[in-house]
Amino acid sequence: MSSSQPFIPSSPLSPAAGNTQRRKSRFTFKHLAQLSLCSTSCPLRVIAHVDLDAFYAQCEMVRLNVPEDKPLAVQQWQGLIAINYPARKSGLNRHITTTEARKLCPELIMQHVATWKEGDAKWAYHDDAFKQMGTHKVSLDPYRLESRRILALMKEVLPDPPIQKVEKAGIDEVFLDLSAQIHSVLLERYPELSGPPPYDDPSENLPPPPTTALDWNTDALVDLDSTETEDDDPDWDDIAMLIGSEIVRSVRAAIRRKLNYTCSAGVAHNKMLAKLGSAHRKPNQQTIVRNRAVQQFLGDFKFTKIRNLGGKLGDQIVETFGTDSVRDLLSTSIEQMKSKLGDDTGSWVYHVIRGDDFSEVNSRTQIKSMLSAKSFRPSINTPEQAVRWLRIFVADIFSRLVEEGVLENKRRPKTMNLHHRQGGQMRSRQAPIPQGRRIDEDMLFDLAQNLLGQVIVEGKAWPCACLQLSVGGFEDGVNNNRGIGSFLVTGEEAKALKPTMRDSGTDRAPIAEAVRPEKRRKLDTDGILKFLVKKQGSRDEHGADFGIHYDLADAVTTQVPSIEDSVDPEDSSGYQSPIIGGHTSNFGGQSGDPRSTETQAQHNHPSPRCTSLPQLHQSSITTYTCDRCKKIMQMAEKGEHQDWHFARDLQTQERASSSAAESSARRTSGCTQSPIESRGSSLPAEKPIINAPNNSSGFRKVDRGQSKLAFGR
């Protein structure tokens, strides 16, 4: 069977024109697919790090319209926190005082940062701020605002998400994952990459790039490793890096043209190399670290300059191996590092110094907390002073919350903390931020005042050397939340929503009308009387439905007796029934009572709403007719009614047994009067129960599982 596709050699070498042969790419169609997904393990991955040059100094230069060749430094109290590049040529750095800076560079322009003045509700630039350290607090809001503008412009230049992946790493630096955008450019420029892989096998190698020379423009290229030469043909990772450098160059040009800021950039395979590259050539340049140049690039670095390799870990490595150079440490095997530093740390260090970093560009870096603080020199001594500083702290925090998206309900904090230091004692108080309210300055200020009040009430609050206010516990806000009012319509809008099927003459209207059940007429009610007496002219609600026809005028209606009325005044036997909650009730007749047992059952029936209805033609399935007393009641009351009859049967049987025992005792002892007769009463002759089951005693037989109740004992 012949193949549906022409044979394509899968070996690294494929025949080219003439007698020459050209190597295939080292990369596969699988790698190309991973590039579109921004996979951290993709060897074609491209990451950029954009770093603004002397950002605070640039902000002041742009604000004050200072020429770029003029030296300028940003001052905070008596020190310097930012120095532009013309001033650095005079030997200035951030570790010298303002006095020393003036001596080194007499023409230096020193601009103090904006400050919050005690009692003010807004930060501002004050000429004498450096003299007011006790009553002013530093504000970095002007720089945050400019950082926001720059980030917004970057996102405007880049494609929309999900192709765009931007991570704000700081107020003046940003990481860009350009992989997905580069993938789309590759497919556009090189159509041969768009087709399916040979034999539909993604592990097949990509065709070689059609070009043998790349124009890197004005970028600073890191020299290749000693085993590589520029004469080697470029592969697809070089093409991807070139496209990435073009994208970064366009972003930097837009920032320069629209906002007048310069920035440096590094383009490499991962975040670690890109960050080192952006600082390699400054200012206003970009450095390309190709995959074939990683060892050459890292060899000249001290590993303590690499992120997470400084501090205690860096000191430990220097002490253990006697060097701080990456090049010297490369000769150490992974087994040696694991034995000296531990398995996890040793393995991590081994790969980091070789340029391996698989950290992801996170487009949503989550802030965990925000802090605004002030150390007081001299200390403050009154609540009024502390409240004024709280107002400043709240305004400072709220401006950053706005940047985090609190106004759009993107994220919001859950708790507020106040730290108060008096002498050597630090006290903290915490309170939840109400989740059902919109966050604003007034709400945060009231909450901060309450926390301060708690500290003051405990005593020993003054003098205060330091106050810190923070918010934390950030969570994503709830979006698209609607109140119940949004689901309701009124007026003309409600009329417009009424169904118009009947007016439109469609076929569905008659069908809907035919299947719609007729509503029952609401019956007039007389309160609780409707449960006691049937009115003349009224009908049972379900009677007509089931063919019951009777004349209510001739019906005998029995009123439900109250518990007190259930006691027969002519009965002096004293028997009590436990069936009616401990109240006295007569179940037996007396010898002088003309009423029969059945007649008493009709008048002393404990079951409610029991009515005798003659002339019934058909029994209702919702009612029950007792075959012993002929009473009609609801089916739900059937069980209670049968229990009542059973209790009467037991009582009658008990009384009959007692009478027989007394008669036998009287005959045996020769007595002429029974105990009951001595009380002036005689026992009547018991009549058999109507409709009672036939048995030898004439009474209802006790069912299995039941026992006789000892009435009156």
Side-chain angles (χ1 to χ4, degrees):
M1 180 181 293
S2 61
S3 175
S4 59
Q5 295 183 351
F7 175 75
I8 301 177
S10 58
S11 63
L13 299 178
S14 59
N19 296 325
T20 63
Q21 290 184 335
R22 187 178 179 187
R23 297 179 60 88
K24 278 189 139 185
S25 171
R26 296 184 294 115
F27 305 100
T28 65
F29 283 88
K30 180 180 179 180
H31 295 149
L32 185 64
Q34 289 177 335
L35 184 67
S36 65
L37 302 176
C38 298
S39 173
T40 58
S41 61
C42 177
L44 297 174
R45 183 187 189 209
V46 178
I47 305 297
H49 180 261
V50 180
D51 185 18
L52 289 149
D53 301 321
F55 180 53
Y56 290 179
Q58 272 204 94
C59 288
E60 298 300 342
M61 292 174 67
V62 171
R63 183 179 68 88
L64 300 173
N65 199 23
V66 175
E68 293 183 0
D69 58 345
K70 295 292 183 181
L72 180 142
V74 178
Q75 176 184 353
Q76 178 176 319
W77 313 133
Q78 299 300 322
L80 303 179
I81 62 172
I83 304 168
N84 69 357
Y85 286 91
R88 296 182 188 186
K89 294 178 180 179
S90 301
L92 273 66
N93 59 65
R94 290 182 293 179
H95 301 288
I96 64 176
T97 64
T98 55
T99 304
E100 295 171 333
R102 286 287 188 191
K103 293 179 180 178
L104 293 174
C105 185
E107 67 275 16
L108 178 66
I109 301 173
M110 286 191 293
Q111 173 61 52
H112 199 282
V113 296
T115 57
W116 299 88
K117 184 179 179 181
E118 182 182 3
D120 289 354
K122 178 67 177 176
W123 57 265
Y125 285 94
H126 302 277
D127 294 336
D128 61 344
F130 65 95
K131 301 177 182 179
Q132 309 297 331
M133 185 176 178
T135 58
H136 286 230
K137 179 187 179 304
V138 170
S139 173
L140 301 180
D141 282 359
Y143 312 132
R144 293 193 186 101
L145 293 173
E146 290 302 295
S147 175
R148 220 176 298 164
R149 293 177 60 202
I150 295 170
L151 182 61
L153 180 58
M154 286 185 180
K155 294 182 177 181
E156 181 182 330
V157 174
L158 296 171
D160 295 332
I163 294 179
Q164 175 192 119
K165 293 194 70 174
V166 179
E167 175 185 333
K168 184 178 180 182
I171 194 171
D172 61 346
E173 56 180 326
V174 173
F175 281 108
L176 308 175
D177 191 336
L178 305 174
S179 302
Q181 185 177 358
I182 290 172
H183 177 267
S184 61
V185 175
L186 280 174
L187 298 185
E188 181 181 348
R189 292 186 183 179
Y190 305 96
E192 61 269 26
L193 300 179
S194 302
Y199 318 112
D200 292 328
D201 183 4
S203 63
E204 283 289 323
N205 296 85
L206 293 171
T211 180
T212 58
L214 302 178
D215 182 11
W216 296 99
N217 205 297
T218 58
D219 296 340
L221 276 178
V222 175
D223 293 337
L224 296 176
D225 296 342
S226 57
T227 58
E228 303 285 343
T229 65
E230 294 291 351
D231 296 333
D232 296 334
D233 291 337
D235 208 337
W236 289 112
D237 58 338
D238 297 319
I239 304 295
M241 205 72 70
L242 177 66
I243 297 174
S245 70
E246 295 173 359
I247 296 172
V248 173
R249 196 180 302 116
S250 65
V251 171
R252 293 175 51 238
I255 296 172
R256 175 69 165 170
R257 182 176 63 257
K258 295 185 178 181
L259 301 178
N260 204 25
Y261 288 98
T262 64
C263 49
S264 301
V267 182
H269 173 62
N270 54 48
K271 293 173 68 174
M272 180 193 72
L273 294 173
K275 183 173 176 62
L276 292 174
S278 65
H280 188 60
R281 297 286 180 89
K282 292 177 75 76
N284 198 26
Q285 296 187 62
Q286 67 184 46
T287 301
I288 311 299
V289 184
R290 292 170 289 179
N291 293 347
R292 296 184 290 162
V294 171
Q295 295 304 317
Q296 177 67 27
F297 179 63
L298 291 177
D300 297 331
F301 274 96
K302 293 182 178 181
F303 57 77
T304 52
K305 298 294 183 181
I306 299 176
R307 184 183 179 186
N308 297 326
L309 274 179
K312 294 182 179 180
L313 178 58
D315 295 340
Q316 179 186 355
I317 297 174
V318 172
E319 181 180 354
T320 302
F321 297 99
T323 182
D324 61 356
S325 171
V326 172
R327 193 183 305 277
D328 295 339
L329 208 59
L330 286 174
S331 59
T332 306
S333 66
I334 188 172
E335 288 77 13
Q336 288 179 296
M337 287 193 175
K338 286 183 177 181
S339 63
K340 300 289 186 180
L341 305 175
D343 289 347
D344 294 338
T345 303
S347 177
W348 179 78
V349 171
Y350 179 84
H351 289 95
V352 164
I353 62 176
R354 285 164 172 77
D356 296 334
D357 176 26
F358 300 99
S359 57
E360 183 180 3
V361 173
N362 188 357
S363 56
R364 294 192 63 187
T365 303
Q366 304 292 348
I367 295 177
K368 297 181 179 179
S369 63
M370 294 180 180
L371 172 71
S372 185
K374 174 68 177 178
S375 296
F376 304 111
R377 300 184 184 91
S379 301
I380 59 175
N381 295 280
T382 64
E384 291 75 18
Q385 287 178 296
V387 168
R388 287 196 292 267
W389 281 109
L390 286 183
R391 172 64 76 180
I392 292 175
F393 295 163
V394 167
D396 184 20
I397 290 176
F398 183 73
S399 65
R400 283 182 273 169
L401 288 175
V402 171
E403 181 180 354
E404 190 65 14
V406 70
L407 295 182
E408 297 82 10
N409 202 31
K410 294 179 180 178
R411 299 190 74 214
R412 59 180 291 146
K414 298 196 317 187
T415 58
M416 173 180 284
N417 295 271
L418 177 70
H419 302 275
H420 174 282
R421 191 175 75 221
Q422 192 269 334
Q425 182 183 11
M426 177 71 80
R427 288 181 288 179
S428 302
R429 291 294 176 269
Q430 184 183 83
I433 297 175
Q435 297 299 301
R437 292 178 53 189
R438 182 183 179 88
I439 293 181
D440 55 27
E441 283 193 51
D442 292 336
M443 188 260 278
L444 295 177
F445 180 61
D446 292 341
L447 205 58
Q449 278 187 300
N450 291 335
L451 294 176
L452 178 63
Q454 295 177 23
V455 174
I456 294 175
V457 167
E458 293 180 0
K460 295 184 179 180
W462 317 111
C464 175
C466 178
L467 272 179
Q468 299 178 4
L469 188 68
S470 64
V471 294
F474 280 83
E475 63 181 2
D476 293 336
V478 179
N479 295 322
N480 301 322
N481 208 11
R482 300 172 60 188
I484 192 172
S486 64
F487 295 93
L488 306 177
V489 293
T490 58
E492 297 299 328
E493 186 178 0
K495 293 179 181 179
L497 294 178
K498 285 186 176 181
T500 58
M501 296 174 62
R502 183 175 302 177
D503 298 336
S504 62
T506 60
D507 294 337
R508 291 183 60 188
I511 298 176
E513 189 69 22
V515 299
R516 180 180 178 183
E518 183 179 357
K519 291 185 178 179
R520 287 177 178 155
R521 179 176 57 87
K522 185 177 180 181
L523 301 177
D524 295 333
T525 60
D526 294 318
I528 196 170
L529 293 179
K530 69 179 182 179
F531 298 100
L532 304 178
V533 181
K534 288 284 186 177
K535 292 184 178 181
Q536 293 186 1
S538 65
R539 297 190 60 187
D540 184 84
E541 183 179 1
H542 302 286
D545 296 338
F546 298 97
I548 300 177
H549 304 286
Y550 50 83
D551 187 0
L552 287 176
D554 298 333
V556 178
T557 305
T558 303
Q559 184 174 350
V560 178
S562 65
I563 294 178
E564 292 79 2
D565 293 339
S566 65
V567 180
D568 191 342
E570 298 180 9
D571 182 18
S572 59
S573 62
Y575 290 107
Q576 291 184 348
S577 171
I579 305 299
I580 313 181
H583 292 274
T584 305
S585 179
N586 179 33
F587 288 103
Q590 294 179 346
S591 59
D593 191 351
R595 294 174 296 177
S596 66
T597 303
E598 191 63 34
T599 306
Q600 285 187 339
Q602 296 179 8
H603 289 280
N604 297 330
H605 200 298
S607 180
R609 297 185 298 278
C610 184
T611 306
S612 177
L613 299 174
Q615 303 179 15
L616 295 178
H617 299 288
Q618 180 179 346
S619 297
S620 171
I621 65 173
T622 62
T623 59
Y624 165 72
T625 303
C626 179
D627 57 354
R628 298 182 60 180
C629 62
K630 306 303 180 183
K631 300 302 177 186
I632 299 176
M633 64 202 73
Q634 297 295 325
M635 288 296 295
E637 300 168 355
K638 176 181 177 181
E640 181 184 358
H641 184 76
Q642 290 179 342
D643 290 342
W644 180 82
H645 276 297
F646 181 57
R648 279 184 52 80
D649 294 345
L650 289 178
Q651 184 187 34
T652 304
Q653 183 179 3
E654 182 70 20
R655 293 178 64 182
S657 300
S658 178
S659 299
E662 290 175 359
S663 299
S664 176
R666 187 167 52 249
R667 287 193 299 269
T668 303
S669 61
C671 295
T672 60
Q673 189 177 21
S674 69
I676 297 180
E677 290 173 345
S678 65
R679 292 198 300 265
S681 63
S682 60
L683 291 173
E686 295 293 343
K687 295 182 180 181
I689 302 298
I690 300 175
N691 295 331
N694 296 326
N695 52 36
S696 59
S697 62
F699 300 104
R700 180 179 174 183
K701 183 180 179 181
V702 179
D703 295 337
R704 183 178 181 181
Q706 295 179 327
S707 61
K708 296 181 180 180
L709 300 178
F711 291 92
R713 291 188 179 182

